[in-house]
Amino acid sequence: QVQLVESGGGLVQAGGSLRLSCAASGGSFSRYVLGWFRQAPGKEREFVAGISESGGRTYYADSVKGRFTISRDNAKNTVYLQMYNLEPEDTAVYYCAADHMSNFKNGYWGQGTQVTVSS
């Protein structure tokens, strides 16, 4: 059983930056694919970014490519999402997820952290 706790959300102006963190406990962190998802009000949850077990592969949704960077520190059991040039459309609750498969269908999820971008 893996527990995930996100932090780092907040209110930021358009064009600003935030770094989200997700700390994991209770499992073999380095064996999991990790991902960030988000859900805006009235919308379905969507994939944002993912990273392989070693951190050697990363992948992004087209909407954030070039603006967001996912990284992980297996020694600290933490995954990060660095977000630059934020847009009002990025406003959402951001969730991290851990799974053995990159589809995250049977993964573990955090409780989410709110990111609000004002125009």
Side-chain angles (χ1 to χ4, degrees):
Q1 187 80 6
V2 176
Q3 292 81 43
L4 302 170
V5 179
E6 301 95 336
S7 62
L11 173 65
V12 63
Q13 289 188 331
S17 302
L18 278 176
R19 188 175 85 153
L20 306 183
S21 300
C22 176
S25 61
S28 298
F29 184 79
S30 63
R31 294 184 179 181
Y32 289 94
V33 178
L34 302 171
W36 285 96
F37 292 73
R38 66 188 181 186
Q39 187 167 19
K43 295 186 177 181
E44 293 188 354
R45 186 165 57 189
E46 63 175 0
F47 169 79
V48 175
I51 188 166
S52 63
E53 294 89 332
S54 67
R57 281 191 301 114
T58 58
Y59 41 105
Y60 300 91
D62 288 343
S63 59
V64 306
K65 207 170 290 184
R67 299 188 300 121
F68 291 11
T69 301
I70 188 172
S71 61
R72 66 190 293 165
D73 186 337
N74 286 347
K76 295 183 178 179
N77 287 0
T78 302
V79 59
Y80 305 96
L81 185 68
Q82 178 68 56
M83 305 184 291
Y84 296 104
N85 195 20
L86 283 160
E87 304 168 351
E89 293 74 22
D90 296 317
T91 295
V93 178
Y94 283 71
Y95 300 89
C96 67
D99 201 345
H100 292 297
M101 302 293 291
S102 59
N103 60 17
F104 297 97
K105 287 185 177 180
N106 297 304
Y108 300 97
W109 295 83
Q111 82 291 346
T113 186
Q114 176 71 47
V115 172
T116 302
V117 184
S118 63
S119 57

